[in-house]
Amino acid sequence: MKGDYYSQFKRVFMRKHANSIVNYTTPDNEELFKENLAKYPDNKELLHYRDNPIKYALNDYGFRTPDNFNNAEEEGNVFLGCSHTFGIGHYLENTWSWRLNQKIGGKFWNLSAPGTGIGTAARLLGEFKNKLKIKNIFLYTPFCYRYEVYEAKKGVWINISPANVFHHYIEVSDEVRFILGQEENMRLNWRTNLAAIKYYAHEVGAKLFSIENIDFYVNNNDNFPEIARDILHPGVSYQDLVYDKFLDAYKNNLPLWEEPASSFKPLKTLI
């Protein structure tokens, strides 16, 4: 059975990274960190990361969670999302998902996958829902113009988007990017996968929570470090705000947020 799960998930970390601790993961890679440190040699936050490196501890399936899904009797919480939920560029203890789980209790099952969207969230929940005793599901996929497809030549799942010309080794034509950039296609993809996630949640008797997309540009100078190590991802203040919004939704049993949102605007002409 594990082989099947690996083949379904190897899009993100590949089998060699499962059950391991890695120092870097794209785009938070060592080369970029050295470039940033050379550019900003006096930056106290980068120096802090140099002296206190982030460690990405991955379970048997390549997820950034300490649990290997072996105890089916203990209840827990599933977290679905992209790099923001995974915590690219952040210590695990600074991520909204870890902090929320610590607050509400239960096993921590972070099924997030960097660089993905709601399609990946739906597929992974479908793959693991019967292996876990899920009490709550927290969904945060702010990039609604990501479409997951299966690439049969290499047997991997990939996400393609109108915002990118290259997706790993695959070049996406302008015509395809134009099609992907239409709001009608985005909304169909979003609603279909959200419906699947809602169905899975109902099937296992779990409460589903989702919040409105949050703007990247928030900053709290009281945090140290504040910036993500790769500088590309939003800082700890962003993680704090996502945490606050989900905690509010959880405590007050707020209605599920079902509308997609993205800083990417629908394409009106060919790129």
Side-chain angles (χ1 to χ4, degrees):
M1 179 63 71
K2 184 177 290 187
D4 294 335
Y5 282 116
Y6 272 128
S7 66
Q8 291 293 309
F9 190 62
K10 66 182 182 178
R11 147 68 185 89
V12 180
F13 281 110
M14 307 298 286
R15 192 172 301 183
K16 66 180 181 180
H17 289 300
N19 190 25
S20 66
I21 298 176
V22 296
N23 297 321
Y24 296 94
T25 185
T26 303
D28 178 32
N29 59 61
E30 186 174 13
E31 181 181 0
L32 176 62
F33 179 67
K34 289 180 177 179
E35 288 178 3
N36 287 331
L37 196 57
K39 189 183 300 183
Y40 311 108
D42 299 322
N43 185 291
K44 293 182 179 180
E45 294 169 292
L46 291 177
L47 292 173
H48 177 83
Y49 283 127
R50 181 197 65 188
D51 298 334
N52 304 273
I54 294 170
K55 301 290 185 181
Y56 297 102
L58 310 176
N59 76 352
D60 282 352
Y61 300 101
F63 294 112
R64 193 184 187 186
T65 189
D67 191 271
N68 284 317
F69 313 152
N70 295 322
N71 186 353
E73 297 305 312
E74 191 170 353
E75 283 189 332
N77 309 298
V78 162
F79 297 84
L80 302 171
C82 60
S83 56
H84 302 321
T85 304
F86 178 91
I88 290 288
H90 292 289
Y91 300 113
L92 182 63
E93 60 266 25
N94 284 343
T95 62
W96 75 264
S97 50
W98 175 263
R99 290 181 58 207
L100 184 62
N101 198 83
Q102 291 292 100
K103 180 71 174 180
I104 67 177
K107 300 286 280 186
F108 177 63
W109 296 318
N110 190 345
L111 305 188
S112 60
T116 66
I118 196 170
T120 303
R123 175 175 61 82
L124 292 177
L125 180 61
E127 287 292 324
F128 286 91
K129 63 181 173 61
N130 294 325
K131 192 173 179 64
L132 308 170
K133 191 174 182 181
I134 306 171
K135 184 175 183 180
N136 300 293
I137 300 169
F138 298 92
L139 170 69
Y140 189 57
T141 52
F143 296 99
C144 56
Y145 280 90
R146 286 175 177 169
Y147 304 79
E148 185 179 66
V149 296
Y150 184 68
E151 203 285 270
K153 287 184 179 179
K154 294 195 174 184
V156 294
W157 292 90
I158 63 173
N159 275 254
I160 57 176
S161 164
N164 300 99
V165 176
F166 280 93
H167 296 270
H168 307 279
Y169 54 90
I170 294 178
E171 183 176 3
V172 182
S173 70
D174 288 347
E175 287 77 11
V176 171
R177 291 172 67 202
F178 178 71
I179 293 171
L180 297 177
Q182 301 308 301
E183 185 174 3
E184 294 85 350
N185 293 322
M186 177 275 288
R187 287 190 173 274
L188 176 61
N189 179 66
W190 177 273
R191 289 169 178 164
T192 301
N193 285 293
L194 180 60
I197 292 171
K198 291 166 68 175
Y199 174 79
Y200 293 146
H202 176 76
E203 186 181 26
V204 299
K207 177 68 176 177
L208 176 62
F209 298 91
S210 181
I211 62 170
E212 185 178 5
N213 184 31
I214 298 172
D215 185 28
F216 275 19
Y217 302 102
V218 293
N219 185 66
N220 181 356
N221 293 327
D222 292 335
N223 287 324
F224 186 87
E226 163 60 23
I227 64 172
R229 185 172 65 176
D230 65 346
I231 305 181
L232 300 172
H233 281 83
V236 176
S237 294
Y238 183 84
Q239 294 284 334
D240 291 344
L241 191 52
V242 177
Y243 164 81
D244 289 340
K245 295 289 186 181
F246 268 112
L247 183 59
D248 182 49
Y250 174 82
K251 283 184 172 181
N252 296 295
N253 196 28
L254 298 181
L256 184 70
W257 184 270
E258 301 194 28
E259 279 299 305
S262 175
S263 58
F264 181 86
K265 303 302 180 185
L267 298 178
K268 303 301 182 184
T269 61
L270 279 178
I271 300 171

